[in-house]
Amino acid sequence: MATAADTDAMRRAVGLAARGLGSTSPNPVVGCVITDASGRRAGEGFHQRAGGPHAEIHALREAGERARGGTAYVTLEPCNHTGRTGPCALALTEAGIARVVYAVADPNPQATGGGDTLRAAGVRVEQGLLEAEAAAGNTAWLTAVRLGRPHVVWKYAATLDGRIAAADGTSRWISSPESRADVHRLRAEVDAVIVGSGTARTDDPHLAVRGVDGATQPLRVVLDTDARAVRSGARVLDGAAPTLVAVAEDAETGLPDVLRLPRTGRGLSVPALLEALYTRGVRSALLEGGPTLAGSFVAAGAVDRVVGYLAPVLLGAGPTALAEAGIATITEALRLDVTESVRLGPDLRITATVPKGA
């Protein structure tokens, strides 16, 4: 049975793991805390970037000989395979770790089995401590492994009466500076930011991360079905971050290196887009487009989390946050689970998840 000290150590590991958000793809975020044989903190670490040392290795290096006979608290089951780095299960065994407590079992068939390897080596292994907290912090990677597509967060800003712009199309600024700064934090935590042709044409967005120290710039993705919205000189074509423009298979464009996708009645195939992004190593994406693009993702069942910034503003007219999404009656409504509500300046940020199977 877990003690208070066990829980504290694992909670610290969960916090450490979060430091890797946005920089580890296609790998998960992982945190590790090591205590010595007497239970004192000896080392800690987190996975900082793909191809670099895993969390356990950072923690073992800091702990040194104090790791022998100690306990390792890891947010994800130690890996059991050799990729760009060696198996962490073996490293823990060789360091003389006597006990390993991990929160979430590794669902990746290429890396799972670390727990069994540790047990076979005589290490005491326990699973499930703070599993929900650790899984929540690794939601994007877990979704990608289980579904074979990126985890998608739909973000929008709206007035209290649900408008994302006024009747004349003006929208700057509905949300507060605090909310807009928070969006850059969201961008810094994902691998790709997606908008549609309407947003590209109307706003000429930049989509890069600003104001977040050490951020890895996400891939900027523009869905431009007929290849008419992204022109030479568009802000997304500068060198601040990588950019991918997706067009229909039959579209004529002078842009180099476009992604060609099948047409659908809604524009471009969302499943085909997500498959293409997944093959490029994208495990998480932020949907920042307008109501039409959001509707196509919702209709495709490709939204996993919603982050809404609600401003204490009334407009009475203008476009709403979500356009037609394949929902015809109230019984078909997509009902979400609210996980958080936070004040940001005058605004309210509401985060909700889509229930599994919805």
Side-chain angles (χ1 to χ4, degrees):
M1 184 173 178
T3 65
D6 290 333
T7 301
D8 288 344
M10 185 62 80
R11 186 159 284 123
R12 172 62 178 169
V14 171
L16 288 167
R19 297 184 184 180
L21 284 170
S23 63
T24 65
S25 280
N27 295 348
V29 294
V30 182
C32 178
V33 169
I34 290 176
T35 59
D36 63 19
S38 63
R40 290 189 295 266
R41 192 76 54 85
E44 63 182 29
F46 66 97
H47 185 39
Q48 300 175 13
R49 59 179 178 81
H54 290 186
E56 296 94 322
I57 306 306
H58 284 296
L60 287 171
R61 287 175 179 172
E62 184 175 301
E65 282 301 313
R66 296 178 63 198
R68 191 162 301 278
T71 298
Y73 301 87
V74 195
T75 56
L76 184 68
E77 180 181 8
C79 66
N80 197 42
H81 78 299
T82 299
R84 284 184 282 183
T85 61
C88 291
L90 178 60
L92 291 167
T93 301
E94 292 179 341
I97 288 289
R99 176 177 173 237
V100 171
V101 181
Y102 66 86
V104 180
D106 194 333
N108 184 351
Q110 294 180 326
T112 192
D116 291 338
T117 296
L118 289 163
R119 290 186 186 94
V123 178
R124 179 182 167 194
V125 179
E126 300 168 25
Q127 174 192 342
L129 180 61
L130 298 188
E131 182 176 8
E133 290 184 27
N138 226 356
T139 295
W141 182 80
L142 290 169
T143 297
V145 170
R146 291 164 179 164
L147 300 183
R149 66 158 175 82
H151 178 271
V152 177
V153 179
W154 169 40
K155 158 263 162 186
Y156 69 93
T159 63
L160 281 184
D161 56 341
R163 309 292 174 173
I164 61 168
D168 65 355
T170 56
S171 61
R172 296 186 177 179
W173 294 101
I174 285 175
S175 60
S176 66
E178 293 88 346
S179 291
R180 298 197 297 275
D182 194 63
V183 170
H184 285 279
R185 176 191 62 81
L186 287 180
R187 288 180 182 175
E189 293 181 354
V190 299
D191 303 328
V193 178
I194 305 173
V195 298
S197 57
T199 298
R201 204 165 18 240
T202 302
D203 297 339
D204 187 22
H206 192 230
L207 303 180
V209 177
R210 298 189 300 276
V212 180
D213 292 340
T216 300
Q217 291 291 347
L219 175 68
R220 300 177 291 188
V221 181
V222 181
L223 274 60
D224 187 7
T225 305
D226 295 309
R228 297 174 182 170
V230 180
R231 301 294 188 185
S232 177
R235 297 175 71 206
V236 294
L237 297 180
D238 68 8
T243 299
L244 180 65
V245 179
V247 303
E249 292 171 327
D250 58 350
E252 296 184 4
T253 176
L255 293 176
D257 302 323
V258 296
L259 171 64
R260 294 191 176 273
L261 298 172
R263 284 182 183 267
T264 69
R266 294 174 174 270
L268 296 176
S269 168
V270 170
L273 168 69
L274 294 178
E275 180 181 0
L277 292 178
Y278 184 87
T279 62
R280 286 168 167 77
V282 172
R283 298 296 181 262
S284 58
L286 181 64
L287 190 63
E288 288 201 39
T292 300
L293 184 64
S296 67
F297 270 72
V298 171
V303 171
D304 302 294
R305 180 157 55 105
V306 179
V307 179
Y309 297 87
L310 301 183
V313 177
L314 299 176
L315 285 173
T320 58
L322 185 65
E324 202 281 314
I327 300 170
T329 180
I330 193 65
T331 58
E332 298 174 353
L334 186 57
R335 299 188 182 275
L336 311 179
D337 296 326
V338 175
T339 59
E340 185 184 51
S341 59
V342 177
R343 282 288 299 269
L344 292 174
D347 302 340
L348 181 65
R349 184 190 70 203
I350 297 179
T351 303
T353 58
V354 178
K356 292 180 181 179

